[in-house]
Amino acid sequence: MSPMHIIVRRCGSAITYALFISIYFNFLQDQLGWDADSASLFYSFLLFSNQVFALPAGIFGDRFGFKPMMVVGCIIDAICYLALATSPGVFVAISAAVGIGIGGCLFSTNARAELLTASHGNKREAARQQGRFLRWTNVGSLIGPVLGLLVLQHNNYTLALSVSAAFEVALSIPLILGWLRGGTREKSSKITKLTLLDIGPQRKSFIKLHLWAFIPVGLASSAPILFPYIFTNVVSSPDDNSIAQLIRNIVVIVLQSWASQALLIEGKLSRILIACSMLTFCIFILAFLFPYNSMIFGLSALFGLIQVFTTTAIYNGIVLIGSTERQATFFGASKLLLSASTFIVLQAIPLLMIWLSQNIQPLSGVPLHSVQLVIGMLVLGCIAVISHSGRLQKDES
């Protein structure tokens, strides 16, 4: 099974998932007659299952093989989309939500491990493949909401869910054929306990990396909270939030492949994570100091850069300290830890924004182009430093 098959499958899966997320609320209310609280509960079950099952998904992959678990994840997704298309009752709908979370987790966790295995110990190639995986995930996440708008305009939820199920099955065929050609039996490890202690002798480095990433990853995930708040309560232009989101996603897509190579710098990832945290706090302050649309758009682009650096740093860190026998367990444990830390950090973000809105007054009389110039220089400086560090690491190796 070639890495390209896995990446194409991931892009397609990201499209169907993003499409579903963009229409699920309206689907549950308009077609199933749910109220807003029940719809929120549905999404909570989906998110909870996707995060909590990360570690078991990784351990099952190491135990039974990455390819079988990826195929199982694809089949679960297709069945759940098809079940929702039949306008089910509450129990079946909630079960489908849990299934979509588990199916996506089974595929993504073991796909990362499969890509790491396919690099045959070449860390630069492993980082390149992980970067492509992230990039095409972001591309799919950008296409999905666009398709969702078309579905919402025509209110044809059943057709959209049925097509999503068929699309999942079609994308799974190359994976199944590749698995069958390569033999259905894979070497499995002796991991039998669902515990973080099974991530192997690299446990100390693994935990240290995630302690450094605790706050940076949480802050980098706060864009869906920060920018809607700014555009709604400070700038009084809520419709422009979608433009800022588009700008941020484009920055992430364009820079992802480059960042995956540039951030393969062992021993310096903690500095990058600290710098990203400091930059994120600067964005929060600047957004309240200069609440102008053009300024917020520029900050959104900078936020996209921070997202790329933070996400790439944590996954490249796993590549650098990765185990040869527990790849899927590493990725699953990482997702579980980051989900917990992100949840904790995000609870503090609204409080931080309220405090900033009460204690920071917008500045007047400062030329806006001067501030934008400073931000531009800051962005270019970050890129130059990372690029130089990457060249140094390459020369040393």
Side-chain angles (χ1 to χ4, degrees):
M1 185 186 303
S2 70
M4 181 56 67
H5 286 154
I6 295 175
I7 292 171
V8 170
R9 171 63 181 80
R10 178 54 179 169
C11 181
S13 178
I15 291 174
T16 56
Y17 180 79
L19 166 63
F20 176 70
I21 292 300
S22 65
I23 68 171
Y24 88 93
F25 197 88
N26 301 77
F27 165 71
L28 294 176
Q29 287 191 321
D30 298 343
Q31 191 151 328
L32 301 188
W34 291 24
D35 56 25
D37 292 337
S38 299
S40 299
L41 181 65
F42 176 93
Y43 181 70
S44 298
F45 271 104
L46 190 156
L47 196 62
F48 179 79
S49 62
N50 183 264
Q51 295 174 348
V52 170
F53 199 73
L55 181 57
I59 294 177
F60 290 155
D62 285 329
R63 179 67 178 169
F64 301 109
F66 306 141
K67 298 183 183 71
M69 291 300 102
M70 284 192 288
V71 171
V72 170
C74 297
I75 294 173
I76 291 176
D77 280 344
I79 292 174
C80 291
Y81 286 131
L82 192 59
L84 289 172
T86 63
S87 300
V90 175
F91 177 76
V92 175
I94 293 296
S95 299
V98 174
I100 291 173
I102 292 176
C105 190
L106 275 170
F107 176 81
S108 62
T109 301
N110 289 284
R112 288 183 183 278
E114 178 69 20
L115 291 174
L116 187 59
T117 301
S119 64
H120 304 293
N122 186 331
K123 295 188 182 298
R124 186 159 296 278
E125 175 63 17
R128 189 177 75 86
Q129 294 296 348
Q130 296 295 325
R132 293 175 66 195
F133 188 89
L134 287 171
R135 182 181 185 181
W136 287 102
T137 299
N138 293 323
V139 171
S141 300
L142 190 62
I143 297 174
V146 177
L147 299 177
L149 289 176
L150 298 176
V151 174
L152 292 174
Q153 287 179 352
H154 297 87
N155 294 325
N156 202 335
Y157 305 110
T158 301
L159 177 62
L161 291 170
S162 301
V163 170
S164 295
F167 195 48
E168 290 281 346
V169 172
L171 290 171
S172 304
I173 292 175
L175 297 181
I176 297 173
L177 293 178
W179 174 36
L180 295 176
R181 288 196 195 103
T184 57
R185 301 174 67 103
E186 287 192 10
K187 181 182 178 181
S188 61
S189 64
K190 296 182 179 179
I191 300 173
T192 57
K193 299 179 181 179
L194 305 184
T195 168
L196 282 173
L197 297 178
D198 286 318
I199 60 178
Q202 299 90 348
R203 181 171 60 249
K204 182 177 179 180
S205 299
F206 181 87
I207 294 175
K208 183 179 178 180
L209 173 66
H210 286 77
L211 287 176
W212 281 114
F214 187 99
I215 294 178
V217 172
L219 291 174
S221 304
S222 65
I225 299 176
L226 170 64
F227 288 100
Y229 181 91
I230 294 294
F231 280 110
T232 301
N233 299 299
V234 181
V235 182
S236 299
S237 181
D239 293 340
D240 288 337
N241 177 58
S242 58
I243 301 176
Q245 181 179 353
L246 178 63
I247 293 173
R248 191 167 62 252
N249 288 338
I250 291 175
V251 170
V252 171
I253 291 170
V254 170
L255 295 181
Q256 184 62 70
S257 295
W258 165 79
S260 296
Q261 296 293 312
L263 295 187
L264 194 65
I265 42 181
E266 192 169 5
K268 299 179 181 178
L269 294 179
S270 59
R271 305 178 195 175
I272 294 171
L273 291 170
I274 293 173
C276 287
S277 295
M278 296 174 65
L279 283 172
T280 307
F281 281 118
C282 289
I283 288 177
F284 274 76
I285 296 172
L286 288 172
F288 284 92
L289 283 176
F290 304 97
Y292 312 112
N293 280 21
S294 58
M295 182 67 175
I296 305 302
F297 290 151
L299 292 177
S300 181
L302 179 57
F303 206 103
L305 180 67
I306 293 172
Q307 283 183 284
V308 171
F309 283 174
T310 305
T311 306
T312 306
I314 189 69
Y315 283 113
N316 278 7
I318 296 175
V319 169
L320 290 169
I321 65 174
S323 168
T324 57
E325 297 179 350
R326 299 175 172 87
Q327 296 99 326
T329 304
F330 259 69
F331 285 113
S334 175
K335 182 174 182 177
L336 181 62
L337 290 175
L338 292 177
S339 298
S341 63
T342 299
F343 176 81
I344 294 172
V345 173
L346 290 183
Q347 302 312 300
I349 297 299
L351 301 177
L352 174 62
M353 290 191 297
I354 292 173
W355 185 87
L356 289 173
S357 64
Q358 293 174 346
N359 293 273
I360 293 182
Q361 298 298 322
L363 293 180
S364 58
V366 179
L368 184 59
H369 67 271
S370 299
V371 181
Q372 293 172 335
L373 179 62
V374 171
I375 292 179
M377 294 176 64
L378 184 62
V379 172
L380 293 176
C382 290
I383 294 176
V385 170
I386 299 300
S387 299
H388 181 63
S389 299
R391 286 196 295 270
L392 286 177
Q393 179 74 11
K394 186 175 180 180
D395 293 341
E396 289 171 2
S397 62

